[in-house]
Amino acid sequence: MEEAPPLAVNTDIHSLSTSPGPVGSRLKLLGDEWGERSYIPSVFRAATLKWKEAFLSRKRPFVGRCCHVCTPQSRDKLFNSNIPSLGLHNVIYINETHTRYRGWLARRLCYFLFVQERDVHKDMFPKNVVENVLNSNRVQMAIVELTETFSVATSMQPDSKLCNKLKRKARTVLKGVVAFISSAFLRAQTAVVDASETSSTVITVQPNHKLINKVKKQTEKVLQEMVAFVSPTLLRLTGWVLLKLFNSFFWSIQIHRGQLEMVKAATELNAPLVFLPVHKSHIDYLLLTFILFCHNIKAPHIAAGNNLNIPIFSTLIRKLGGFFIRRRLDETIDGRKDVLYRAILHTYVEELLLQKQYFEIFLEGTRSRSGKTFPAKAGLLSMVVDTLCAGVIDDVLVIPVGISYDRIIEGNYNSEQLGNPKKNESLWTVARGVCRMLQKNYGCVRVDFAQPFSMKEYLDSQRQMLQPLPLSQTLLPVIIDPSGDYVLYEHEDVVVANARYMSDEARRRHVIATLAKHAMYTATKSCAVMSTHIVACLLLYRHRQGVDLSKLVEDFFSMKEEVLARDFDLGFSGNCDDVVMHALHLLGNCVTVKNTSRNNEFFIIPKTTIPAMFELNFYSNGILHVFIAEAIIACSLLAVLENMSSDLSQGTADGLISQEKLVHKAAGLCHLLAYEVAVALPCQRIYQVCHEAVERIVQYGVLLVAEDDQEPSLSPSEQSWEKKFPDPVTWRSDEEGDSDYDEEQRDRYLKISQLQEHKEFITFLQRLLGPLLEAYSSAAIFVYNFTSPVSETEYMQNLHKYLIARVEKQLSVYGECATLSLVKNTIASFKDLGVFVEKKEGRSTVLELSETFLPHENRQKLVDYILSFSIP
């Protein structure tokens, strides 16, 4: 526990920006280097000094290289050794040197001259799209199918006039036959209905031209609402406006010149490009188009939700390349597939690909409300894959894109995370948002283009692919029977052959899903770590009770070096004191700054209100992907140590930990948290990724390898237990040698370093996952008291209220565990795990407990399993 600060006076956080050493002058034009401090880092001295010294003078890491397993040819195709050294470029810093003109007038009109010189013209964009889509075979067949469906539905209604006429005739014939009136009347009535239906059905054979024309008009209306009509003039005008706006509320928008060179090289291959960015803010739509426009790259067609199809604003979006699609493709009254809409959308995508147009698709489907990337949804991407596999086009180049903000223009998503319904977009909200933006500054933005890779090459590489089994077949047996850990790894992956041809629908879906996951993982890993991410993370999980400003700056420097050492890039540079004050200024609503009497030192305290904790957690999650694998290992240490304390036969008095058992625990936690953050690429095995994370922690000196004479003797059961596991697949480059690999994979025993710095590092890693584990354990406790079937919506609301109530009563360790995003993820994870069984009742989903979790004993095992990873 840190010493409480002396009596202090509250200071306005915004006054920090006016303190000596202005932040603006150092942050407006970011360089490629960053300042170094003379003192030794103290928070993360987990890495040995000799190991760390190698990274302190290293160059900025180059992120976004494509997978050398799935796309080895693409990895070498557009990359050369000079690309990483090209450095960063501030896109919105424009002056006369970026134009052909010089002089006073050129300086005054440099923005106007710059956009006028951009290479954008009508011939770059598609022609006759509407006509080609309407006349395509797919759309024409869908129109005929829909017309026949309507005709049959109409004809199945019995003709009432014919029925009445036949009934009267039947009554006349049967009048006077009293003995048989009941049975005869029923038979005659049945014959009447059948006759009328038969008569109507015969009529439907004739084509209904009126209905066909009606469906065609409906098709044209849907297409007109969907299609983008790019205007070069409006692109130039919008480029000029955005230069003005972005310079008013952003310090800078940084891109890497080398990454952009790879994108430019990809445009010369005469193949369609598909940009797959992460989605954090509404400004994402304009940001990518603006950057490409500034560098003479054709504007992409942007898939936007129809919630943005509002008057005036929708016209602007269409003119800039946006096309509107339904958020759910099956929005029919009866809940069935809308064949016509799917045909129109598929044909439109195919037509754009045929004309070599570029796409921008947000695989998450919506903006991230948690700061973490959502699991990918491959709906629109599947149409691109199907077009390629049908041979309509030769190839498609995929470009994942990472986007990082010091502060998003929305500020936060606290209202939605508290369970309030999302407000519908309108022209008024757009205008109000722009006015609000002009009054604030949102810091820096970083956009990273990953290396383009061939979709055709990726699909070809999936002929032999890894298909993980569902959690109900892997993790569930481990929870119910902890002694059966081997089940999780003995059948971890199933090989599927000939996936390229996709004759099987299940294999097709799996290949597309892995492609989407692959792109999202690369985009996430490409995201630069911003100053607000580091400061928010330190305040929540290192200094929750408050910290002196000087100590915060010291820890900030250490964290920065740890990020670089893991080959993740930073979205800032400059003196750490100024950068930290810049971050505190942007996080001003979430922190309290006190001016202490101790050397006139500032004391920083994170606010403990629910909205403040939610907002800090949003920005802190921007760094979670950097430490996620190590954090899972740190939490798994707790689970292994708990097992050792409950069963002395699994450990020794010296506290030695089996690396194999540690990895197995960690892999189980990776599967449990699969909806939170991706730990590995789809082509990697979780088992091997966890092994590598342990190796890194051993390199840091936090875990020590026991000497041979310290290793405990194994019982016969334990000796055979290790043989139950298959040899893990390696994840190394081809250049690495194999001489000592077999020896490295032999199980070894580890112990935790007793140095205070190392203990602090382990505790920090465990706290990073604290909110996730508390949300999942609380959800498991809530399941323990689950009684009857309930709709999924009602269950989600009740669980969310339960978590909020725990925070309000101060029963939670981490108040940020009560976000609505975590509630949704816990329910999804428990459904995959087999805790719940889904049943459809109309258009709603009802949840009820599976037979496995009807006994309270098994529900308690689920609670105990999750709690074993949490700090006591």
Side-chain angles (χ1 to χ4, degrees):
M1 185 66 70
E2 297 188 16
E3 182 182 357
L7 185 63
V9 180
N10 287 348
T11 303
D12 184 4
I13 181 63
H14 300 289
S15 65
L16 288 176
S17 60
T18 60
S19 59
V23 182
S25 60
R26 301 181 184 229
L27 292 180
K28 186 65 176 177
L29 298 175
L30 297 181
D32 293 341
E33 304 297 331
W34 42 83
E36 298 185 5
R37 300 182 63 84
S38 58
Y39 47 76
I40 299 175
S42 61
V43 177
F44 300 122
R45 289 193 309 187
T48 58
L49 292 179
K50 288 184 179 179
W51 178 84
K52 194 168 184 178
E53 284 173 358
F55 294 97
L56 290 177
S57 59
R58 63 180 295 167
K59 295 181 179 179
R60 183 184 293 274
F62 186 77
V63 299
R65 297 293 305 278
C66 59
C67 178
H68 72 268
V69 172
C70 300
T71 53
Q73 296 178 13
S74 298
R75 185 178 175 88
D76 299 330
K77 195 168 187 179
L78 300 175
F79 181 82
N80 61 69
S81 58
N82 296 325
I83 282 180
S85 62
L86 294 181
L88 298 179
H89 167 57
N90 182 6
V91 179
I92 59 176
Y93 179 67
I94 301 296
N95 57 30
E96 62 176 316
T97 61
H98 298 93
T99 71
R100 293 177 296 173
Y101 304 95
R102 297 294 182 269
W104 174 84
L105 188 60
R107 287 194 295 271
R108 300 288 292 180
L109 302 177
C110 59
Y111 289 178
F112 174 78
L113 296 173
F114 177 77
V115 299
Q116 280 297 111
E117 293 174 7
R118 298 306 92 198
D119 183 18
V120 52
H121 47 84
K122 273 191 175 182
D123 294 339
M124 300 171 67
F125 303 105
K127 301 175 182 178
N128 304 321
V129 173
V130 175
E131 294 82 356
N132 293 343
V133 172
L134 288 175
N135 296 328
S136 67
N137 291 333
R138 182 185 288 108
V139 172
Q140 291 296 322
M141 290 175 62
I143 291 174
V144 172
E145 181 180 347
L146 187 61
T147 304
E148 291 178 352
T149 303
F150 284 160
S151 300
V152 172
T154 303
S155 65
M156 291 304 291
Q157 302 296 328
D159 190 331
S160 58
K161 291 183 179 180
L162 184 59
C163 278
N164 293 333
K165 183 178 180 180
L166 292 176
K167 282 180 181 179
R168 286 195 299 268
K169 190 176 291 188
R171 289 192 186 100
T172 302
V173 173
L174 296 174
K175 194 173 184 180
V177 189
V178 178
F180 303 96
I181 190 168
S182 297
S183 59
F185 179 74
L186 290 174
R187 287 197 298 271
Q189 192 173 31
T190 303
V192 165
V193 174
D194 291 342
S196 64
E197 290 183 356
T198 304
S199 238
S200 302
T201 305
V202 172
I203 295 173
T204 59
V205 175
Q206 302 299 324
N208 192 333
H209 297 290
K210 184 181 293 186
L211 189 56
I212 290 177
N213 292 332
K214 183 179 179 180
V215 174
K216 284 185 176 180
K217 289 182 179 179
Q218 179 186 347
T219 303
E220 292 177 3
K221 182 181 178 182
V222 170
L223 194 56
Q224 290 292 340
E225 291 178 352
M226 177 190 298
V227 173
F229 300 95
V230 184
S231 168
T233 302
L234 193 59
L235 270 175
R236 295 183 193 278
L237 178 61
T238 305
W240 178 78
V241 172
L242 289 179
L243 272 174
K244 292 282 188 180
L245 290 179
F246 286 163
N247 273 283
S248 66
F249 53 75
F250 288 137
W251 282 112
S252 67
I253 299 177
Q254 296 283 337
I255 61 171
H256 196 288
R257 292 188 180 93
Q259 295 172 353
L260 203 64
E261 287 300 317
M262 290 193 296
V263 175
K264 287 182 178 180
T267 62
E268 298 174 1
L269 298 179
N270 197 30
L273 305 185
V274 177
F275 297 91
L276 302 177
V278 298
H279 199 10
K280 298 180 180 179
S281 172
H282 272 319
I283 209 72
D284 297 340
Y285 296 107
L286 298 174
L287 193 59
L288 199 58
T289 299
F290 172 75
I291 292 173
L292 297 178
F293 166 77
C294 289
H295 294 85
N296 295 322
I297 299 175
K298 184 165 51 181
H301 283 69
I302 309 167
N306 58 0
N307 59 309
L308 295 176
N309 193 0
I310 54 182
I312 301 177
F313 187 67
S314 60
T315 303
L316 175 63
I317 291 179
R318 282 196 186 92
K319 296 290 186 180
L320 297 177
F323 64 97
F324 296 101
I325 60 175
R326 295 175 183 172
R327 300 184 73 85
R328 292 181 177 85
L329 295 185
D330 298 329
E331 289 183 348
T332 56
I333 298 176
D334 54 2
R336 291 185 295 180
K337 288 185 178 180
D338 192 334
V339 178
L340 179 61
Y341 186 84
R342 285 173 174 265
I344 294 172
L345 180 58
H346 195 295
T347 307
Y348 178 58
V349 170
E350 183 178 291
E351 180 65 26
L352 292 180
L353 291 172
L354 270 172
Q355 299 197 33
K356 310 296 182 185
Q357 296 302 304
Y358 303 161
F359 277 90
E360 180 181 340
I361 302 173
F362 295 96
L363 293 178
E364 297 168 84
T366 184
R367 292 165 293 162
S368 171
R369 268 64 172 181
S370 63
K372 306 187 295 278
T373 52
F374 285 156
K377 300 175 183 177
L380 198 57
L381 183 64
S382 66
M383 297 182 181
V384 179
V385 174
D386 290 341
T387 302
L388 175 63
C389 292
V392 178
I393 53 177
D394 295 330
D395 199 1
V396 176
L397 296 179
V398 180
I399 306 177
V401 183
I403 305 176
S404 301
Y405 297 88
D406 265 345
R407 185 173 181 83
I408 57 174
I409 60 172
E410 292 85 351
N412 57 65
Y413 297 109
N414 290 343
S415 178
E416 294 176 47
Q417 292 286 44
L418 287 168
N420 299 322
K422 177 180 177 289
K423 296 180 180 179
N424 294 328
E425 287 80 2
S426 65
L427 186 60
W428 167 246
T429 58
V430 172
R432 188 175 58 181
V434 172
C435 294
R436 186 182 64 248
M437 286 189 296
L438 293 175
Q439 299 172 4
K440 296 182 180 179
N441 187 274
Y442 296 90
C444 305
V445 182
R446 174 70 179 273
V447 179
D448 286 278
F449 295 90
Q451 184 177 8
F453 66 87
S454 165
M455 182 181 290
K456 184 176 183 295
E457 182 188 4
Y458 180 87
L459 296 178
D460 287 337
S461 70
Q462 300 304 299
R463 294 181 181 180
Q464 297 290 331
M465 62 185 180
L466 302 178
Q467 183 175 0
L469 295 174
L471 297 186
S472 57
Q473 299 181 33
T474 53
L475 185 58
L476 180 59
V478 175
I479 295 174
I480 302 302
D481 180 16
S483 62
D485 275 5
Y486 65 90
V487 177
L488 182 61
Y489 310 97
E490 199 169 70
H491 306 289
E492 182 183 359
D493 300 294
V494 177
V495 175
V496 180
N498 298 324
R500 170 69 176 86
Y501 301 101
M502 299 185 186
S503 57
D504 189 297
E505 178 64 17
R507 275 184 281 167
R508 169 189 168 275
R509 288 178 177 272
H510 179 71
V511 170
I512 295 173
T514 56
L515 172 61
K517 291 177 182 177
H518 218 294
M520 284 308 302
Y521 180 89
T522 304
T524 302
K525 192 171 181 180
S526 300
C527 290
V529 176
M530 310 302 287
S531 59
T532 49
H533 300 166
I534 296 179
V535 170
C537 182
L538 289 172
L539 291 177
L540 280 180
Y541 307 119
R542 172 62 184 165
H543 303 295
R544 208 175 183 92
Q545 305 303 318
V547 60
D548 289 334
L549 179 59
S550 59
K551 176 65 174 174
L552 181 63
V553 172
E554 180 183 338
D555 291 351
F556 182 91
F557 174 81
S558 301
M559 177 80 86
K560 180 191 74 171
E561 296 299 333
E562 294 293 338
V563 171
L564 293 172
R566 287 159 177 78
D567 288 328
F568 289 88
D569 204 356
L570 301 172
F572 60 89
S573 63
N575 183 275
C576 283
D577 300 84
D578 291 341
V579 176
V580 168
M581 288 193 295
H582 168 75
L584 290 172
H585 175 74
L586 294 174
L587 298 173
N589 297 330
C590 308
V591 298
T592 301
V593 179
K594 296 183 177 180
N595 191 2
T596 68
S597 58
R598 185 174 55 219
N599 297 327
N600 199 28
E601 176 75 280
F602 286 116
F603 193 78
I604 317 296
I605 306 173
K607 292 181 180 178
T608 56
T609 62
I610 293 179
M613 288 187 288
F614 281 9
E615 187 170 344
L616 284 174
N617 179 250
F618 176 89
Y619 291 103
S620 173
N621 283 337
I623 199 174
L624 181 61
H625 64 283
V626 177
F627 296 100
I628 181 62
E630 295 162 33
I632 285 175
I633 296 297
C635 291
S636 301
L637 281 171
L638 294 172
V640 173
L641 291 173
E642 180 180 323
N643 289 347
M644 291 170 56
S645 63
S646 61
D647 186 358
L648 296 179
S649 66
Q650 293 188 14
T652 67
D654 296 330
L656 298 181
I657 302 168
S658 165
Q659 180 170 335
E660 289 294 328
K661 293 182 180 180
L662 176 61
V663 166
H664 297 161
K665 281 290 182 184
L669 184 56
C670 288
H671 287 294
L672 181 66
L673 301 179
Y675 282 92
E676 302 301 334
V677 63
V679 180
L681 287 165
C683 55
Q684 290 178 281
R685 281 194 169 98
I686 296 293
Y687 179 80
Q688 181 63 22
V689 171
C690 292
H691 259 300
E692 293 174 351
V694 172
E695 291 294 336
R696 287 196 298 271
I697 298 179
V698 169
Q699 275 189 311
Y700 306 156
V702 179
L703 289 178
L704 305 176
V705 181
E707 301 295 336
D708 291 339
D709 57 354
Q710 290 182 292
E711 294 186 3
S713 58
L714 301 178
S715 63
S717 61
E718 286 181 304
Q719 291 174 352
S720 60
W721 177 85
E722 184 184 353
K723 296 178 182 179
K724 297 176 182 177
F725 300 94
D727 293 333
V729 175
T730 65
W731 184 251
R732 299 164 297 149
S733 62
D734 297 334
E735 290 80 12
E736 291 179 294
D738 297 330
S739 58
D740 57 350
Y741 178 67
D742 293 335
E743 183 177 351
E744 291 178 358
Q745 294 306 306
R746 179 176 62 88
D747 189 19
R748 59 183 180 181
Y749 286 81
L750 311 169
K751 58 183 178 180
I752 302 175
S753 170
Q754 297 304 305
L755 292 178
Q756 184 63 28
E757 294 87 349
H758 296 164
K759 291 181 178 180
E760 289 177 354
F761 181 69
I762 286 288
T763 302
F764 166 77
L765 293 176
Q766 292 165 346
R767 287 174 179 171
L768 277 179
L769 295 186
L772 308 183
L773 294 172
E774 183 168 3
Y776 277 71
S777 60
S778 299
I781 294 171
F782 193 75
V783 168
Y784 187 86
N785 300 315
F786 187 82
T787 53
S788 58
V790 64
S791 69
E792 183 173 347
T793 301
E794 182 181 351
Y795 181 83
M796 181 178 65
Q797 292 173 349
N798 293 337
L799 176 57
H800 192 219
K801 290 177 182 177
Y802 170 72
L803 293 177
I804 292 290
R806 292 185 77 252
V807 176
E808 293 174 343
K809 295 176 183 178
Q810 298 184 349
L811 300 176
S812 294
V813 179
Y814 303 96
E816 58 271 27
C817 72
T819 61
L820 185 61
S821 296
L822 279 176
V823 171
K824 292 179 179 179
N825 289 345
T826 57
I827 295 175
S829 181
F830 284 2
K831 286 194 293 187
D832 287 355
L833 189 59
V835 177
F836 294 119
V837 176
E838 290 183 278
K839 290 188 176 179
K840 292 290 184 180
E841 292 187 0
R843 302 191 70 177
S844 63
T845 303
V846 175
L847 298 180
E848 61 181 39
L849 283 177
S850 64
E851 292 184 3
T852 305
F853 285 91
L854 286 177
H856 280 78
E857 178 186 0
N858 288 345
R859 302 189 210 179
Q860 185 61 47
K861 288 180 179 178
L862 176 63
V863 175
D864 294 340
Y865 178 80
I866 299 175
L867 286 176
S868 67
F869 296 99
S870 306
I871 299 178

mmCIF file of all heavy atoms in Angstrom, residues 721-738:
data_model
loop_
_atom_site.group_PDB
_atom_site.id
_atom_site.type_symbol
_atom_site.label_atom_id
_atom_site.label_comp_id
_atom_site.label_asym_id
_atom_site.label_seq_id
_atom_site.Cartn_x
_atom_site.Cartn_y
_atom_site.Cartn_z
ATOM 1 N N TRP A 721 1.413 -39.147 -17.630
ATOM 2 C CA TRP A 721 0.498 -38.018 -17.923
ATOM 3 C C TRP A 721 1.063 -37.112 -18.988
ATOM 4 O O TRP A 721 0.348 -36.662 -19.867
ATOM 5 C CB TRP A 721 0.293 -37.240 -16.623
ATOM 6 C CG TRP A 721 -0.548 -36.011 -16.753
ATOM 7 C CD1 TRP A 721 -1.893 -35.941 -16.710
ATOM 8 C CD2 TRP A 721 -0.082 -34.664 -16.926
ATOM 9 N NE1 TRP A 721 -2.311 -34.644 -16.851
ATOM 10 C CE2 TRP A 721 -1.230 -33.847 -16.983
ATOM 11 C CE3 TRP A 721 1.181 -34.071 -17.054
ATOM 12 C CZ2 TRP A 721 -1.139 -32.467 -17.154
ATOM 13 C CZ3 TRP A 721 1.268 -32.704 -17.219
ATOM 14 C CH2 TRP A 721 0.125 -31.913 -17.268
ATOM 15 N N GLU A 722 2.371 -36.862 -18.977
ATOM 16 C CA GLU A 722 2.969 -35.960 -19.952
ATOM 17 C C GLU A 722 2.905 -36.541 -21.354
ATOM 18 O O GLU A 722 2.828 -35.806 -22.338
ATOM 19 C CB GLU A 722 4.413 -35.668 -19.565
ATOM 20 C CG GLU A 722 5.089 -34.663 -20.483
ATOM 21 C CD GLU A 722 6.540 -34.461 -20.127
ATOM 22 O OE1 GLU A 722 6.962 -35.000 -19.096
ATOM 23 O OE2 GLU A 722 7.241 -33.780 -20.874
ATOM 24 N N LYS A 723 2.886 -37.859 -21.461
ATOM 25 C CA LYS A 723 2.893 -38.483 -22.782
ATOM 26 C C LYS A 723 1.539 -38.388 -23.480
ATOM 27 O O LYS A 723 1.431 -38.718 -24.647
ATOM 28 C CB LYS A 723 3.309 -39.955 -22.649
ATOM 29 C CG LYS A 723 4.727 -40.130 -22.134
ATOM 30 C CD LYS A 723 5.075 -41.585 -21.977
ATOM 31 C CE LYS A 723 6.484 -41.769 -21.413
ATOM 32 N NZ LYS A 723 6.810 -43.180 -21.233
ATOM 33 N N LYS A 724 0.538 -37.938 -22.731
ATOM 34 C CA LYS A 724 -0.790 -37.818 -23.327
ATOM 35 C C LYS A 724 -0.877 -36.648 -24.293
ATOM 36 O O LYS A 724 -1.824 -36.535 -25.050
ATOM 37 C CB LYS A 724 -1.852 -37.650 -22.237
ATOM 38 C CG LYS A 724 -1.957 -38.857 -21.304
ATOM 39 C CD LYS A 724 -2.959 -38.569 -20.186
ATOM 40 C CE LYS A 724 -3.049 -39.721 -19.216
ATOM 41 N NZ LYS A 724 -3.945 -39.432 -18.090
ATOM 42 N N PHE A 725 0.082 -35.755 -24.247
ATOM 43 C CA PHE A 725 0.007 -34.547 -25.068
ATOM 44 C C PHE A 725 0.790 -34.730 -26.349
ATOM 45 O O PHE A 725 1.895 -35.257 -26.341
ATOM 46 C CB PHE A 725 0.569 -33.346 -24.298
ATOM 47 C CG PHE A 725 -0.189 -33.077 -23.038
ATOM 48 C CD1 PHE A 725 0.230 -33.610 -21.833
ATOM 49 C CD2 PHE A 725 -1.333 -32.313 -23.077
ATOM 50 C CE1 PHE A 725 -0.478 -33.382 -20.690
ATOM 51 C CE2 PHE A 725 -2.046 -32.073 -21.934
ATOM 52 C CZ PHE A 725 -1.624 -32.611 -20.725
ATOM 53 N N PRO A 726 0.237 -34.266 -27.468
ATOM 54 C CA PRO A 726 0.975 -34.337 -28.733
ATOM 55 C C PRO A 726 2.087 -33.311 -28.759
ATOM 56 O O PRO A 726 2.053 -32.333 -28.033
ATOM 57 C CB PRO A 726 -0.096 -34.015 -29.773
ATOM 58 C CG PRO A 726 -1.052 -33.125 -29.044
ATOM 59 C CD PRO A 726 -1.057 -33.631 -27.613
ATOM 60 N N ASP A 727 3.048 -33.554 -29.630
ATOM 61 C CA ASP A 727 4.106 -32.560 -29.801
ATOM 62 C C ASP A 727 3.517 -31.303 -30.399
ATOM 63 O O ASP A 727 2.845 -31.350 -31.424
ATOM 64 C CB ASP A 727 5.211 -33.104 -30.722
ATOM 65 C CG ASP A 727 5.936 -34.262 -30.066
ATOM 66 O OD1 ASP A 727 5.960 -34.289 -28.827
ATOM 67 O OD2 ASP A 727 6.443 -35.115 -30.808
ATOM 68 N N PRO A 728 3.767 -30.140 -29.792
ATOM 69 C CA PRO A 728 3.196 -28.894 -30.325
ATOM 70 C C PRO A 728 3.851 -28.502 -31.638
ATOM 71 O O PRO A 728 5.012 -28.779 -31.880
ATOM 72 C CB PRO A 728 3.510 -27.872 -29.228
ATOM 73 C CG PRO A 728 4.713 -28.429 -28.528
ATOM 74 C CD PRO A 728 4.582 -29.918 -28.596
ATOM 75 N N VAL A 729 3.051 -27.868 -32.489
ATOM 76 C CA VAL A 729 3.570 -27.360 -33.758
ATOM 77 C C VAL A 729 4.392 -26.111 -33.497
ATOM 78 O O VAL A 729 3.981 -25.238 -32.741
ATOM 79 C CB VAL A 729 2.402 -27.035 -34.712
ATOM 80 C CG1 VAL A 729 2.932 -26.389 -35.974
ATOM 81 C CG2 VAL A 729 1.652 -28.313 -35.050
ATOM 82 N N THR A 730 5.525 -26.031 -34.111
ATOM 83 C CA THR A 730 6.388 -24.876 -33.862
ATOM 84 C C THR A 730 5.866 -23.663 -34.585
ATOM 85 O O THR A 730 5.156 -23.773 -35.570
ATOM 86 C CB THR A 730 7.823 -25.173 -34.339
ATOM 87 O OG1 THR A 730 7.782 -25.332 -35.747
ATOM 88 C CG2 THR A 730 8.375 -26.408 -33.680
ATOM 89 N N TRP A 731 6.261 -22.503 -34.077
ATOM 90 C CA TRP A 731 5.879 -21.221 -34.723
ATOM 91 C C TRP A 731 7.157 -20.416 -34.841
ATOM 92 O O TRP A 731 7.421 -19.490 -34.127
ATOM 93 C CB TRP A 731 4.831 -20.511 -33.885
ATOM 94 C CG TRP A 731 4.345 -19.253 -34.527
ATOM 95 C CD1 TRP A 731 4.587 -17.993 -34.137
ATOM 96 C CD2 TRP A 731 3.529 -19.147 -35.680
ATOM 97 N NE1 TRP A 731 3.991 -17.104 -34.975
ATOM 98 C CE2 TRP A 731 3.333 -17.768 -35.927
ATOM 99 C CE3 TRP A 731 2.954 -20.065 -36.555
ATOM 100 C CZ2 TRP A 731 2.577 -17.302 -36.994
ATOM 101 C CZ3 TRP A 731 2.204 -19.590 -37.607
ATOM 102 C CH2 TRP A 731 2.022 -18.226 -37.814
ATOM 103 N N ARG A 732 7.980 -20.827 -35.789
ATOM 104 C CA ARG A 732 9.277 -20.182 -35.947
ATOM 105 C C ARG A 732 9.516 -19.953 -37.419
ATOM 106 O O ARG A 732 8.958 -20.628 -38.271
ATOM 107 C CB ARG A 732 10.394 -21.059 -35.377
ATOM 108 C CG ARG A 732 10.252 -21.352 -33.890
ATOM 109 C CD ARG A 732 11.152 -22.516 -33.511
ATOM 110 N NE ARG A 732 10.744 -23.732 -34.201
ATOM 111 C CZ ARG A 732 11.576 -24.681 -34.563
ATOM 112 N NH1 ARG A 732 12.861 -24.543 -34.348
ATOM 113 N NH2 ARG A 732 11.137 -25.759 -35.166
ATOM 114 N N SER A 733 10.361 -19.014 -37.705
ATOM 115 C CA SER A 733 10.711 -18.776 -39.105
ATOM 116 C C SER A 733 11.581 -19.913 -39.603
ATOM 117 O O SER A 733 12.174 -20.651 -38.841
ATOM 118 C CB SER A 733 11.449 -17.442 -39.235
ATOM 119 O OG SER A 733 12.651 -17.478 -38.500
ATOM 120 N N ASP A 734 11.625 -20.040 -40.918
ATOM 121 C CA ASP A 734 12.375 -21.144 -41.510
ATOM 122 C C ASP A 734 13.869 -21.037 -41.244
ATOM 123 O O ASP A 734 14.597 -21.999 -41.367
ATOM 124 C CB ASP A 734 12.131 -21.183 -43.020
ATOM 125 C CG ASP A 734 10.661 -21.447 -43.337
ATOM 126 O OD1 ASP A 734 9.989 -22.058 -42.483
ATOM 127 O OD2 ASP A 734 10.212 -21.035 -44.428
ATOM 128 N N GLU A 735 14.308 -19.824 -40.900
ATOM 129 C CA GLU A 735 15.753 -19.648 -40.720
ATOM 130 C C GLU A 735 16.241 -20.214 -39.383
ATOM 131 O O GLU A 735 17.425 -20.431 -39.193
ATOM 132 C CB GLU A 735 16.100 -18.154 -40.794
ATOM 133 C CG GLU A 735 15.959 -17.543 -42.181
ATOM 134 C CD GLU A 735 14.519 -17.222 -42.499
ATOM 135 O OE1 GLU A 735 13.692 -17.260 -41.572
ATOM 136 O OE2 GLU A 735 14.226 -16.935 -43.673
ATOM 137 N N GLU A 736 15.303 -20.426 -38.427
ATOM 138 C CA GLU A 736 15.752 -20.858 -37.122
ATOM 139 C C GLU A 736 16.163 -22.320 -37.175
ATOM 140 O O GLU A 736 15.571 -23.145 -37.867
ATOM 141 C CB GLU A 736 14.642 -20.648 -36.097
ATOM 142 C CG GLU A 736 14.377 -19.172 -35.810
ATOM 143 C CD GLU A 736 13.255 -19.019 -34.797
ATOM 144 O OE1 GLU A 736 12.114 -19.369 -35.120
ATOM 145 O OE2 GLU A 736 13.549 -18.557 -33.695
ATOM 146 N N GLY A 737 17.164 -22.644 -36.395
ATOM 147 C CA GLY A 737 17.663 -24.001 -36.381
ATOM 148 C C GLY A 737 16.823 -24.918 -35.534
ATOM 149 O O GLY A 737 16.012 -24.494 -34.735
ATOM 150 N N ASP A 738 17.029 -26.249 -35.674
ATOM 151 C CA ASP A 738 16.250 -27.238 -34.945
ATOM 152 C C ASP A 738 17.118 -28.042 -33.977
ATOM 153 O O ASP A 738 16.652 -29.003 -33.393
ATOM 154 C CB ASP A 738 15.602 -28.227 -35.930
ATOM 155 C CG ASP A 738 14.617 -27.532 -36.849
ATOM 156 O OD1 ASP A 738 14.029 -26.540 -36.402
ATOM 157 O OD2 ASP A 738 14.452 -28.001 -37.992
#
